[in-house]
Amino acid sequence: MSQPTGAAPWLAVIDMQRVFAEPDSGWFTPRFAEVVEPVRELVAALRPRVTFTRFVAPDAPAGAWRRYYDRWPFALQPPAAPIYQLVDDFAGEPGPTLDATTFGKWGPELSARVGEGGRLLLAGVSTDCCVLSTALAAADAGVAVQVVADACAGVNDETHAQALAILRLYEPLIEVTTVADVLRSGRPGAVAL
């Protein structure tokens, strides 16, 4: 598949947090550790055009989110809680971090970073929740989206594959790609800002 043309891409690293990395967490993503190195490669290639996101609990859940947190009460912790911190591999990364109390991270802040006519690359966890939600919202906003499949992990292998299959249905708005294809496209991080 061809890479979208236009402005240098912006990488959003979705929710590479302890709550998804630690085996004793109710939200553990089993293949989390396997995507750390691919994400690190993308970050190195695209820096400084990188935003890390964090899913955090709201102060007071409202609407259907109340039922959600009734199911997951352990998660009702403040944003500064250890579970919501980026894993050590990314904790020292410079650049912006975007916190959201929603699965999808697309909104005014990320939109401003990507810019009009920009491209958004997505990596992180989980493919079948926050990555999927972010990709669909950005595509609806008219942004060219690339989901880097081998730099994403799902709740399990089956739902990861299903989410990628769903995302492929949105081509050409959303392209499912690989780290190798992104890096082969000319070291996008070297593009002048």
Side-chain angles (χ1 to χ4, degrees):
M1 288 182 194
S2 63
Q3 300 289 334
T5 58
W10 193 279
L11 173 65
V13 178
I14 307 296
D15 304 349
M16 295 295 285
Q17 298 166 262
R18 292 178 179 176
V19 70
F20 304 111
E22 296 175 353
D24 61 346
S25 169
W27 290 346
F28 175 60
T29 303
R31 294 200 185 269
F32 186 101
E34 294 174 29
V35 300
V36 168
E37 186 56 33
V39 170
R40 193 185 340 252
E41 289 179 48
L42 292 171
V43 169
L46 289 154
R47 191 182 286 122
R49 297 179 62 82
V50 178
T51 296
F52 283 84
T53 73
R54 295 189 319 150
F55 178 84
V56 295
D59 291 333
W65 285 106
R66 285 192 294 265
R67 289 181 34 226
Y68 181 81
Y69 286 102
D70 285 346
R71 178 178 286 182
W72 305 107
F74 83 92
L76 278 174
Q77 297 185 41
I83 67 168
Y84 287 131
Q85 301 314 300
L86 295 176
V87 293
D88 291 345
D89 298 280
F90 302 112
E93 281 292 331
T97 300
L98 171 63
D99 291 351
T101 59
T102 55
F103 296 142
K105 304 309 185 287
W106 184 257
E109 289 180 68
L110 195 51
S111 175
R113 292 172 188 166
V114 172
E116 188 165 337
R119 295 186 288 141
L120 178 65
L121 272 70
L122 296 175
V125 298
S126 73
T127 319
D128 37 13
C129 185
C130 295
V131 173
L132 176 70
S133 297
T134 303
L136 295 178
D140 275 349
V143 174
V145 177
Q146 292 178 291
V147 176
V148 187
D150 54 344
C152 292
V155 171
N156 58 53
D157 290 346
E158 181 180 359
T159 58
H160 169 76
Q162 289 170 340
L164 294 174
I166 289 168
L167 289 163
R168 285 184 180 99
L169 295 173
Y170 288 83
E171 289 181 353
L173 297 173
I174 298 173
E175 177 185 359
V176 177
T177 190
T178 65
V179 172
D181 284 344
V182 170
L183 298 180
R184 191 173 22 254
S185 72
R187 304 300 291 185
V191 176
L193 301 177

